[in-house]
Amino acid sequence: MTRLVCLFVSVVVLAGSARADDTFVAKTQVYVDSDHTTVVSPLVALSRDAWRGGTLQASYVADIVSSASIDVVSNATKSMADFRSEVNVGLQQKIAASTLAGHYIYSVEHDYSSHNFDIGLQQDFFKRNSTLAIGYNYAHNDVGRANDQLFHRTLDVHGLGISWTQTLSAKTLGQLSYTLGINEGYQASPYRFVRIVGGAADVKVPETEPNERLRHAIVAGIQRHLFKDSALHADYRFYIDSWGVSAHTIQLAYFIQFGDVTLRLRERFYYQAKANFFQTQYVNTDDQTYVSSDRELSTFWSNLVGVKVSWRLPWLQRAVALEVKADVFYYGYIDYALLPWRVGANLSAGVSVLY
Amino acid sequence: MKIVLLVVAATLAGCVVVKPYERGFLAKPIMAVEPDPFETVLDQHMIQAREGAAGGYGSGGGGCGCN
């Protein structure tokens, strides 16, 4: 599989270009938070118009992780470090008002590997005033545990998505989308243990979560052009799943263009209600089929604000653009005893080239 | 479900046919539904590792990278 991926990437790099819409993107994102976690994520991507209507794409992204979070230290480990690599190759073909696309993503780290496949179809209607997009993705994940050769679990994920984009006026677009996710297999963490109190002595048991998870997400969004060179984007997502987690997400982004410079301001608010089997503290009773100490399954809210500046350089026929981004965020955990809150920042810098 | 149908009806009721020569504002990069797909990949991967919800937006890539 690795050889096939390398072959595809080579084809993308060496393919003759059919048009001048080839792009190269390189950016690095740095995540840091008050829970002693740092993640550096470099990304490079290449896109080539290789034949009429056909585009080849290849990208590589890595996660370089260093963490001494409460998750890590509460399980008797001082700190952890990890390195994840991900390769994404894809093909897109335009045929009249239709666009077909397919991707393969391979992701690997020392205790986890993942194969992802997705296909999609996009169809324009009513003289490009409406667009229907449908897609399917499948992922097979192999889960291991460090220093434990005998530990092996699998997780299969199926996803279906459908969206409708509608031109509402000469200055307004609207979208409605729905995605269904079906997770089957191991979804807990092999490194997390849950404290059970109330018996003769407190005990710690491995985290145990249901093998199946059905996930629904619906998003409504709108983009509106304002004034001379500004635009407002707004969307709302409602999420609910079979584990009892429900969530609301509101996102706002405001773009202002000053010639070759684009400024983006954004705000994101998120609120989540806990999974029905999640408890702040588990007491020794008989009906405890599922136990988890995953704060991502607890009740919490978060808020993110950010700014991004992009500058298309006036030299070289404006083919090169630079960008920098800074987001700051706050997470407030309502029923997670080990960590009441967390703050952090997400910083990014990058360059894109059209050639 | 009633809210979804209401949004759909309101959306479709507001539909107009914008001719190609009237699409100048819609063609601007700041009006793209997803202006930076690679930023979406990095953002969604970071977010999905820290929240219980998933889906509805662009892909978060593959694997766990549960950091």
Side-chain angles (χ1 to χ4, degrees):
Chain A
M1 185 64 79
T2 305
R3 289 179 185 173
L4 282 174
V5 168
C6 290
L7 178 62
F8 190 96
V9 172
S10 301
V11 169
V12 175
V13 172
L14 298 173
S17 180
R19 292 174 17 176
D21 282 350
D22 301 338
T23 59
F24 169 78
V25 174
K27 59 174 77 185
T28 297
Q29 179 164 280
V30 177
Y31 169 98
V32 59
D33 71 19
S34 58
D35 196 23
H36 312 291
T37 296
T38 302
V39 183
V40 179
S41 304
L43 176 149
V44 290
L46 190 61
S47 173
R48 300 294 296 270
D49 283 351
W51 58 82
R52 185 181 174 82
T55 304
L56 299 174
Q57 301 157 329
S59 67
Y60 172 81
V61 62
D63 285 331
I64 305 160
V65 183
S66 162
S67 180
S69 70
I70 192 65
D71 232 6
V72 172
V73 301
S74 64
N75 287 288
T77 306
K78 284 186 182 176
S79 65
M80 61 82 79
D82 202 0
F83 180 83
R84 184 185 78 103
S85 276
E86 177 183 299
V87 177
N88 181 335
V89 294
L91 167 64
Q92 181 176 287
Q93 179 67 50
K94 290 184 181 178
I95 305 170
S98 306
T99 303
L100 292 166
H103 297 88
Y104 166 70
I105 304 173
Y106 175 63
S107 172
V108 63
E109 54 199 282
H110 80 283
D111 58 358
Y112 202 103
S113 67
S114 176
H115 299 270
N116 296 259
F117 304 87
D118 72 69
I119 54 173
L121 168 67
Q122 189 171 292
Q123 178 69 44
D124 291 332
F125 298 95
F126 311 122
K127 298 182 181 177
R128 294 181 59 207
N129 282 282
S130 305
T131 302
L132 171 69
I134 54 177
Y136 167 75
N137 71 276
Y138 167 71
H140 175 79
N141 303 280
D142 288 292
V143 186
R145 182 161 59 194
N147 304 317
D148 185 352
Q149 302 272 3
L150 298 178
F151 185 94
H152 176 250
R153 302 289 187 272
T154 61
L155 170 64
D156 290 318
V157 178
H158 301 267
L160 283 170
I162 183 168
S163 72
W164 183 269
T165 302
Q166 181 65 48
T167 301
L168 300 176
S169 76
K171 293 185 176 183
T172 311
L173 293 171
Q175 300 87 41
L176 195 59
S177 68
Y178 167 73
T179 57
L180 169 68
I182 303 171
N183 292 10
E184 294 174 322
Y186 184 78
Q187 297 171 70
S189 167
Y191 304 103
R192 255 196 307 261
F193 292 81
V194 181
R195 184 184 299 276
I196 312 288
V197 303
D202 293 353
V203 296
K204 272 195 166 182
V205 300
E207 180 174 80
T208 307
E209 296 174 350
N211 267 0
E212 289 191 351
R213 188 176 189 181
L214 206 63
R215 317 175 83 169
H216 307 272
I218 185 164
V219 179
I222 191 165
Q223 292 85 46
R224 169 78 181 179
H225 191 279
L226 299 171
F227 311 117
K228 184 184 174 190
D229 278 315
S230 303
L232 177 66
H233 296 212
D235 65 68
Y236 166 75
R237 177 182 66 178
F238 175 69
Y239 169 92
I240 193 165
D241 68 29
S242 58
W243 286 8
V245 176
S246 64
H248 305 272
T249 310
I250 298 171
Q251 296 189 128
L252 298 170
Y254 187 64
F255 295 80
I256 312 169
Q257 193 160 348
F258 306 96
D260 292 321
V261 176
T262 302
L263 172 69
R264 184 200 68 192
L265 306 171
R266 74 167 172 178
E267 149 73 29
R268 181 183 189 272
F269 177 78
Y270 177 87
Y271 173 81
Q272 169 180 304
K274 69 182 180 76
N276 49 30
F277 57 84
F278 180 89
Q279 297 181 32
T280 304
Q281 186 173 73
Y282 291 89
V283 179
N284 188 17
T285 61
D286 291 333
D287 55 347
Q288 277 166 356
T289 307
Y290 305 117
V291 291
S292 176
S293 57
D294 184 358
R295 60 173 175 259
E296 277 81 48
L297 296 179
S298 69
T299 300
F300 69 89
W301 64 274
S302 73
N303 200 72
L304 176 151
V305 293
V307 60
K308 177 178 172 181
V309 178
S310 306
W311 179 31
R312 186 156 294 283
L313 302 180
W315 315 286
L316 302 172
Q317 298 181 327
R318 294 182 167 77
V320 179
L322 305 176
E323 66 174 51
V324 291
K325 180 184 87 170
D327 294 331
V328 292
F329 54 81
Y330 176 94
Y331 281 75
Y333 297 97
I334 309 301
D335 52 16
Y336 185 72
L338 296 178
L339 188 73
W341 55 268
R342 173 173 62 170
V343 297
N346 217 17
L347 310 171
S348 169
V351 60
S352 64
V353 181
L354 292 175
Y355 62 95
Chain B
M1 180 56 77
K2 287 182 183 176
I3 295 174
V4 169
L5 289 174
L6 189 62
V7 170
V8 170
T11 303
L12 293 177
C15 292
V16 298
V17 174
V18 176
K19 299 179 176 59
Y21 58 84
E22 297 173 319
R23 299 179 68 87
F25 290 113
L26 301 177
K28 288 187 175 183
I30 57 175
M31 282 293 290
V33 173
E34 194 169 37
D36 190 343
F38 297 110
E39 179 187 32
T40 301
V41 167
L42 291 173
D43 275 354
Q44 287 303 312
H45 181 69
M46 183 271 290
I47 287 169
Q48 288 178 24
R50 292 166 178 80
E51 294 177 355
Y57 302 115
S59 167
C64 178
C66 297
N67 40 53

